[in-house]
Amino acid sequence: MPIPEDVTGDEIDKDVRQELQSLPKTLAEDVAKNLVMVARLIDEDPEGAYGYSRVALRLASRVAAVREAAGFAAYANQKYSEALGEFRAARRMTGTVELWPVMADCERGLGRPEKALDMAGAPDVHKLDKAGQVEMRLVAAGARRDMGQLDAAIVTLQSPELASNSVQPWTARLRYAYADALLAAGRESEAREWFAKAVEADRDGSTDASDRLAELDGVEFVDALDESDAAEESDGAAGQVDRSDDEVRVEKTDEDVEDAEDVEGKDVEDKD
């Protein structure tokens, strides 16, 4: 797959670059460029990211960072079985537990929420950092909802992190998930409160909390582009009316000229 000229491969993290040092220099550069493309495209063009991840995987399947990137690209394309396999491979290579929450979410994607809940209660969860533990809580709550256990999902999300007033990278998503669970349970007023709190914490627009809040408040947004199109159509219609009026005026003028000529002709005959 083509690599844009502005991609050098130096954009990758220092830790990943260190992993690639086990490869020949030219090969390491090629792999690095493909990994950069995966990171660049994964949010807006998941299919494109997946394509680059497959190239990197073909070039360096024994590098943990490559397996992890391939896993996330597959995950973004809802290829959960493939993603789970790649995450497991990366975990075997590194021995870390960082991928545990996303592995559990793959189990959800495969229709196995019970397995995800088992993973949420595993000893490995205690080895996760705070961000990982919050992520695991989100996955567990999602699994509860998959099983129709709304009240349990709400209780799962109730935590010190949710109650905290400090804003962390996970705060908006945690508040949003809690609000969404409350709304699903019919607790609309509480849901509105937490969607508002999610908006306060969502500094980078990672959720659509503002839209959900507006929806609850009965606010409707009109697309400015639609308004522009409507205005153009209105102007076009007005123009057509004007042109029709001009045509009518011209036709009447021609008839008046003919009538005038007839009158002049009769006057001449009468004089003769």
Side-chain angles (χ1 to χ4, degrees):
M1 297 181 68
I3 303 290
E5 293 183 0
D6 65 320
V7 174
T8 65
D10 294 333
E11 300 89 343
I12 60 175
D13 294 338
K14 180 178 65 175
D15 293 340
V16 177
R17 189 179 301 113
Q18 187 173 355
E19 279 193 65
L20 295 179
Q21 288 180 355
S22 61
L23 303 174
K25 183 177 180 181
T26 302
L27 180 59
E29 291 176 352
D30 290 341
V31 173
K33 290 178 181 180
N34 279 280
L35 292 180
V36 170
M37 292 305 298
V38 173
R40 177 179 290 189
L41 298 176
I42 197 163
D43 291 328
E44 298 186 4
D45 182 12
E47 290 186 6
Y50 180 76
Y52 284 103
S53 75
R54 301 307 295 177
V55 174
L57 192 60
R58 187 172 65 249
L59 295 174
S61 62
R62 296 186 179 182
V63 176
V66 171
R67 303 302 290 266
E68 183 175 329
F72 277 110
Y75 179 80
N77 284 275
Q78 299 182 2
K79 299 178 183 290
Y80 298 117
S81 181
E82 183 178 328
L84 186 57
E86 297 299 340
F87 290 142
R88 284 172 174 168
R91 185 167 181 270
R92 285 195 300 269
M93 293 176 181
T94 62
T96 63
V97 297
E98 294 177 0
L99 296 171
W100 196 250
V102 72
M103 289 170 64
D105 205 39
C106 285
E107 295 287 359
R108 283 187 60 212
L110 291 170
R112 301 194 292 250
E114 298 88 351
K115 177 63 176 176
L117 287 176
D118 288 342
M119 294 179 68
D124 286 322
V125 174
H126 300 296
K127 301 176 184 178
L128 294 168
D129 60 12
K130 181 62 68 177
Q133 291 179 7
V134 171
E135 195 66 35
M136 192 72 248
R137 189 177 293 277
L138 289 167
V139 173
R144 291 292 185 188
R145 292 190 62 172
D146 293 342
M147 299 167 67
Q149 301 173 1
L150 281 175
D151 290 339
I154 291 171
V155 171
T156 299
L157 293 168
Q158 292 171 345
S159 61
E161 293 80 18
L162 180 68
S164 175
N165 290 324
S166 66
V167 176
Q168 302 295 333
W170 61 78
T171 303
R173 292 177 58 239
L174 183 59
R175 292 177 179 179
Y176 181 94
Y178 189 58
D180 193 48
L182 289 169
L183 187 61
R187 296 160 62 175
E188 186 172 319
S189 61
E190 293 174 83
R192 190 206 174 282
E193 176 187 351
W194 282 97
F195 275 128
K197 290 182 178 181
V199 171
E200 294 174 359
D202 196 359
R203 297 168 179 171
D204 58 358
S206 61
T207 74
D208 64 345
S210 59
D211 293 338
R212 300 292 298 278
L213 182 61
E215 183 180 348
L216 286 174
D217 289 342
V219 177
E220 293 185 6
F221 295 99
V222 178
D223 194 326
L225 183 60
D226 291 342
E227 290 183 342
S228 177
D229 291 343
E232 290 179 2
E233 291 179 1
S234 177
D235 292 342
Q240 290 178 0
V241 171
D242 292 342
R243 285 195 296 274
S244 298
D245 291 344
D246 290 342
E247 291 173 359
V248 171
R249 285 195 292 271
V250 169
E251 288 174 359
K252 287 182 178 179
T253 302
D254 291 342
E255 291 175 357
D256 292 342
V257 171
E258 291 177 358
D259 292 342
E261 290 176 349
D262 291 342
V263 171
E264 290 176 358
K266 290 180 180 181
D267 289 343
V268 172
E269 291 177 357
D270 291 342
K271 291 178 180 179
D272 292 342

